Coordinates of all heavy atoms in Angstrom, one line a residue:
R125 N 0.8 -1.2 0.0 CA 0.0 0.0 0.0 C 0.8 1.2 0.1 O 0.5 2.1 -0.8 CB -0.9 0.0 1.3 CG -2.0 1.1 1.3 CD -2.5 1.4 2.6 NE -1.5 1.8 3.6 CZ -1.2 3.1 3.6 NH1 -1.5 4.0 2.9 NH2 -0.2 3.4 4.5
T126 N 1.9 1.2 0.8 CA 2.7 2.4 1.0 C 3.5 2.7 -0.4 O 3.8 3.8 -0.8 CB 3.8 2.2 2.0 OG1 3.2 2.0 3.3 CG2 4.8 3.4 2.1
M127 N 3.9 1.7 -1.1 CA 4.4 1.7 -2.3 C 3.5 2.2 -3.5 O 3.8 2.4 -4.6 CB 5.3 0.5 -2.8 CG 6.5 0.2 -1.8 SD 7.2 -1.4 -2.1 CE 7.8 -1.4 -3.8
N128 N 2.2 2.0 -3.2 CA 1.1 2.4 -4.1 C 1.3 1.4 -5.4 O 1.3 1.9 -6.6 CB 1.2 3.9 -4.5 CG -0.1 4.2 -5.3 OD1 -1.1 3.6 -5.1 ND2 0.1 5.2 -6.1
L129 N 1.5 0.1 -5.3 CA 1.7 -0.8 -6.3 C 0.4 -1.2 -7.0 O -0.6 -1.6 -6.3 CB 2.4 -2.0 -5.9 CG 3.9 -1.9 -5.3 CD1 4.4 -3.3 -5.0 CD2 4.8 -1.2 -6.3
S130 N 0.5 -1.1 -8.3 CA -0.7 -1.7 -9.1 C -0.6 -3.1 -9.3 O -1.6 -3.8 -9.6 CB -0.8 -0.9 -10.4 OG 0.4 -1.1 -11.1
H131 N 0.6 -3.7 -9.2 CA 0.9 -5.1 -9.4 C 2.0 -5.5 -8.5 O 3.0 -4.7 -8.2 CB 1.3 -5.4 -10.9 CG 1.5 -6.8 -11.2 ND1 0.6 -7.8 -11.3 CD2 2.7 -7.4 -11.2 CE1 1.0 -8.8 -11.6 NE2 2.4 -8.9 -11.6
C132 N 1.9 -6.7 -7.8 CA 3.1 -7.1 -7.0 C 3.3 -8.6 -7.3 O 2.5 -9.3 -7.7 CB 2.6 -7.0 -5.6 SG 1.3 -8.0 -4.9
V133 N 4.5 -9.0 -6.9 CA 5.0 -10.3 -7.1 C 5.5 -10.7 -5.6 O 6.3 -10.1 -5.1 CB 6.2 -10.4 -8.0 CG1 6.6 -11.9 -8.2 CG2 6.0 -9.7 -9.3
I134 N 5.0 -12.0 -5.3 CA 5.4 -12.6 -3.9 C 5.9 -14.1 -4.2 O 5.3 -14.7 -5.0 CB 4.1 -12.6 -3.1 CG1 3.5 -11.3 -3.0 CG2 4.5 -13.2 -1.7 CD1 2.2 -11.2 -2.2
T135 N 7.0 -14.2 -3.6 CA 7.5 -15.7 -3.6 C 7.8 -16.0 -2.2 O 7.6 -15.4 -1.2 CB 8.7 -15.8 -4.5 OG1 9.1 -17.1 -4.7 CG2 9.9 -15.0 -4.1
S136 N 8.4 -17.3 -2.1 CA 8.9 -17.8 -0.7 C 10.1 -18.7 -0.9 O 10.3 -19.3 -2.0 CB 7.6 -18.3 0.1 OG 7.5 -19.7 -0.4
V137 N 10.7 -18.9 0.4 CA 11.6 -20.0 0.4 C 10.8 -21.3 0.5 O 9.6 -21.3 0.8 CB 12.6 -19.8 1.7 CG1 13.5 -18.6 1.4 CG2 11.6 -19.7 3.0
D138 N 11.4 -22.5 0.3 CA 10.8 -23.7 0.5 C 10.8 -24.0 2.1 O 11.9 -23.6 2.9 CB 11.6 -24.9 0.0 CG 11.3 -25.0 -1.5 OD1 10.1 -25.5 -1.8 OD2 12.0 -24.5 -2.3
R139 N 9.7 -24.4 2.7 CA 9.7 -24.7 4.1 C 9.2 -26.1 4.4 O 8.1 -26.4 4.8 CB 8.6 -23.7 4.8 CG 9.1 -22.2 4.8 CD 10.4 -22.0 5.6 NE 10.3 -22.5 6.9 CZ 10.1 -21.7 8.0 NH1 10.0 -20.3 7.7 NH2 10.2 -22.1 9.2
D140 N 10.0 -27.1 4.0 CA 9.7 -28.4 4.2 C 9.8 -28.8 5.6 O 9.5 -30.0 6.0 CB 11.0 -29.3 3.5 CG 10.8 -29.2 1.9 OD1 9.7 -29.1 1.4 OD2 11.9 -28.9 1.3
D141 N 10.2 -27.8 6.6 CA 10.2 -28.1 8.0 C 8.9 -28.0 8.7 O 8.6 -28.5 9.8 CB 11.2 -27.2 8.7 CG 10.8 -25.6 8.4 OD1 10.4 -25.3 7.3 OD2 10.7 -25.0 9.4
L142 N 7.8 -27.4 7.9 CA 6.5 -27.1 8.5 C 5.5 -28.1 8.1 O 5.6 -28.7 7.0 CB 6.1 -25.7 8.0 CG 7.0 -24.6 8.4 CD1 6.4 -23.3 7.8 CD2 7.0 -24.3 10.0
D143 N 4.6 -28.4 9.0 CA 3.7 -29.5 8.7 C 2.9 -29.2 7.4 O 2.5 -30.1 6.7 CB 2.6 -29.6 9.9 CG 3.3 -30.3 11.1 OD1 4.4 -30.9 10.9 OD2 2.8 -30.1 12.2
D144 N 2.5 -27.9 7.2 CA 1.8 -27.5 6.0 C 2.5 -26.9 4.8 O 2.1 -26.4 4.0 CB 0.6 -26.5 6.3 CG 1.2 -25.2 6.7 OD1 2.3 -25.1 6.8 OD2 0.3 -24.3 6.9
L145 N 4.0 -27.2 5.1 CA 4.9 -26.7 4.1 C 4.9 -25.2 3.8 O 5.4 -24.7 2.9 CB 4.8 -27.5 2.8 CG 4.8 -29.0 2.9 CD1 4.7 -29.6 1.6 CD2 6.0 -29.5 3.6
G146 N 4.2 -24.4 4.7 CA 4.1 -23.0 4.7 C 2.8 -22.4 3.9 O 2.7 -21.2 3.8
V147 N 2.0 -23.3 3.5 CA 0.8 -22.8 2.8 C -0.1 -21.9 3.6 O -0.8 -20.9 3.0 CB 0.0 -24.0 2.2 CG1 -0.9 -24.6 3.2 CG2 -0.8 -23.4 1.1
S148 N -0.1 -22.1 5.0 CA -0.9 -21.2 5.9 C -0.5 -19.7 5.8 O -1.2 -18.8 5.7 CB -1.1 -21.6 7.3 OG -1.7 -22.9 7.2
A149 N 0.8 -19.7 5.8 CA 1.4 -18.3 5.6 C 1.2 -17.7 4.2 O 0.9 -16.4 4.2 CB 2.9 -18.2 5.9
W150 N 1.2 -18.5 3.2 CA 0.9 -18.0 1.9 C -0.6 -17.6 1.7 O -0.8 -16.4 1.3 CB 1.1 -19.3 0.8 CG 2.3 -19.2 0.2 CD1 3.4 -20.1 0.4 CD2 2.9 -18.4 -0.9 NE1 4.4 -19.9 -0.5 CE2 4.1 -18.7 -1.3 CE3 2.2 -17.3 -1.5 CZ2 4.8 -18.1 -2.3 CZ3 3.0 -16.7 -2.6 CH2 4.2 -17.2 -2.9
T151 N -1.5 -18.3 2.3 CA -2.9 -18.0 2.1 C -3.2 -16.7 3.0 O -4.0 -15.7 2.4 CB -3.9 -19.1 2.6 OG1 -3.6 -19.5 3.8 CG2 -3.8 -20.2 1.6
E152 N -2.6 -16.6 4.2 CA -2.9 -15.3 5.0 C -2.2 -14.1 4.2 O -2.9 -13.0 4.2 CB -2.3 -15.5 6.4 CG -2.5 -14.3 7.3 CD -3.9 -13.9 7.5 OE1 -4.8 -14.9 7.2 OE2 -4.2 -12.9 8.0
T153 N -1.1 -14.3 3.6 CA -0.5 -13.2 2.9 C -1.3 -12.8 1.7 O -1.6 -11.5 1.7 CB 0.8 -13.6 2.4 OG1 1.7 -14.0 3.5 CG2 1.5 -12.6 1.6

């Protein structure tokens, strides 16, 4: 919002250590 972006790109590291492999953080983001 601060950057006033009309388009954004989001990626992540692999999180094989997590039970859901990080998907909860993805969906919340």
Side-chain angles (χ1 to χ4, degrees):
R125 186 197 65 79
T126 301
M127 292 170 67
N128 194 29
L129 296 182
S130 59
H131 182 80
C132 66
V133 182
I134 303 169
T135 189
S136 79
V137 292
D138 282 283
R139 292 300 303 259
D140 296 313
D141 60 313
L142 301 175
D143 290 341
D144 70 352
L145 308 181
V147 76
S148 294
W150 264 106
T151 55
E152 181 61 18
T153 297

